[in-house]
Amino acid sequence: MGTAVKKAASKPAKRTLAERILAIDVGGTGLKAAIIDAHGKMLTERLKVATPHPCPPELLVHTLVKLVEPLMQPLPATHISIGFPGVVRDNHVLTAPNLGNESWRNVPLAQMLSDQLGHHLPVRIINDAEMQGLAAIEGKGIEFVLTLGTGAGTALFRDGELMPHLELAHHPVNKNKTYDEYLGNAARDKTGNKRWNRRVEKVIGILSSLVNYDRLWIGGGNAANLKFDLPDNVKVVSNEAGIEGGARLWHPRSVRETRQLPPGAFE
């Protein structure tokens, strides 16, 4: 990690009344964006379009630029936060299982989007489940995030600090089916909502034994389809969290969170 990156990660961005963060939530099914303030409050409506399929990097950037154009007028954003469904390091996408992995190998998505928008804005990108978690977590103990959407995303926090990303979604959970295949939207469509709910309930028990979490947060579009009583330490996250968490990439709640800001932010 370079000197400039260390400086960006070691000191939270200065709060200003005029700050406008363009928060983007990239999903396998839909792309969402809104302008938020430093506290995660929405300053604009949330816009959404379908995710193209197939979706190589250039097409995703083009679609996002068209999506956010109305949000950038009359006042452009001052920062950009992106939640992305895959492995992200140093502002580069390493994997994109729900978008087509072959074209998503070490893609500098943050820089590409900043260049296309033409404002040379500072950008930070993080896994989408992690961005949802930043908006939801309480910052105490072991907190785990499970997102139920096109696939299944996960994130792990300890006392508010983001742990190294694990692609648990690609780990076998039942008869060689991965979490993505077992809980993803295609599985819900195929098996029906009742059977899918039983699967989610089973996975909650597995994660409890595996992670020993103090709190489990469930997000993603399919969280609205849960029909069973959740344990006391499990809570559904607002569907807005994927956007609101974008503020925490620039304004963490604590010194500990400041230390775990994703590397690779360019100023």
Side-chain angles (χ1 to χ4, degrees):
M1 186 164 63
T3 303
V5 171
K6 289 182 179 178
K7 183 178 180 181
S10 63
K11 184 178 180 180
K14 183 179 179 181
R15 294 178 186 269
T16 68
L17 294 177
E19 186 168 285
R20 293 164 52 88
I21 300 170
L22 173 61
I24 297 172
D25 185 7
V26 176
T29 303
L31 308 173
K32 294 171 282 189
I35 300 287
I36 59 177
D37 67 11
H39 304 283
K41 179 182 177 182
M42 290 199 187
L43 302 177
T44 69
E45 63 179 321
R46 185 184 66 165
L47 302 183
K48 180 178 179 179
V49 296
T51 303
H53 286 283
C55 191
E58 294 78 9
L59 179 56
L60 177 63
V61 170
H62 175 77
T63 306
L64 288 175
V65 169
K66 290 294 184 183
L67 173 64
V68 306
E69 276 180 349
L71 301 175
M72 301 289 279
Q73 301 170 0
L75 294 174
T78 57
H79 302 69
I80 301 176
S81 296
I82 306 171
F84 187 89
V87 176
V88 178
R89 290 180 186 163
D90 297 331
N91 269 352
H92 286 60
V93 173
L94 302 187
T95 68
N98 292 312
L99 299 181
N101 258 335
E102 290 307 311
S103 59
W104 287 95
R105 303 288 186 184
N106 197 30
V107 174
L109 180 60
Q111 186 71 60
M112 289 173 65
L113 184 59
S114 182
D115 289 347
Q116 287 298 310
L117 287 174
H119 296 282
H120 304 291
L121 302 176
V123 182
R124 287 177 178 170
I125 181 171
I126 195 173
N127 174 268
D128 59 342
E130 294 169 347
M131 195 149 107
Q132 280 207 351
L134 287 176
I137 61 171
E138 296 173 343
K140 298 177 182 179
I142 301 296
E143 297 178 87
F144 196 79
V145 179
L146 171 66
T147 58
L148 303 172
T150 305
T154 60
L156 179 63
F157 296 82
R158 182 182 62 190
D159 292 332
E161 183 177 4
L162 179 61
M163 297 290 96
H165 184 72
L166 300 175
E167 277 292 78
L168 189 59
H170 304 304
H171 193 276
V173 64
N174 182 271
K175 296 180 181 179
N176 293 324
K177 290 185 183 295
T178 65
Y179 284 78
D180 258 358
E181 297 166 332
Y182 195 60
L183 298 180
N185 197 54
R188 191 178 73 85
D189 287 343
K190 182 178 179 179
T191 65
N193 203 54
K194 186 175 181 180
R195 187 177 177 187
W196 178 82
N197 266 265
R198 289 199 297 268
R199 290 185 175 187
V200 176
E201 193 167 13
K202 174 183 175 180
V203 165
I204 287 175
I206 292 172
L207 292 175
S208 179
S209 299
L210 176 67
V211 181
N212 289 294
Y213 53 75
D214 297 299
R215 174 75 75 173
L216 172 65
W217 304 94
I218 300 180
N222 274 331
N225 294 307
L226 297 177
K227 302 301 182 184
F228 59 93
D229 292 332
L230 298 172
D232 291 340
N233 63 340
V234 179
K235 186 176 180 181
V236 172
V237 178
S238 163
N239 206 29
E240 311 294 338
I243 294 291
E244 294 167 358
R248 298 300 175 197
L249 290 184
W250 301 98
H251 299 297
R253 295 185 182 95
S254 65
V255 173
R256 179 183 289 273
E257 276 187 293
T258 300
R259 292 200 301 269
Q260 61 86 27
L261 283 174
F266 54 92
E267 303 295 349

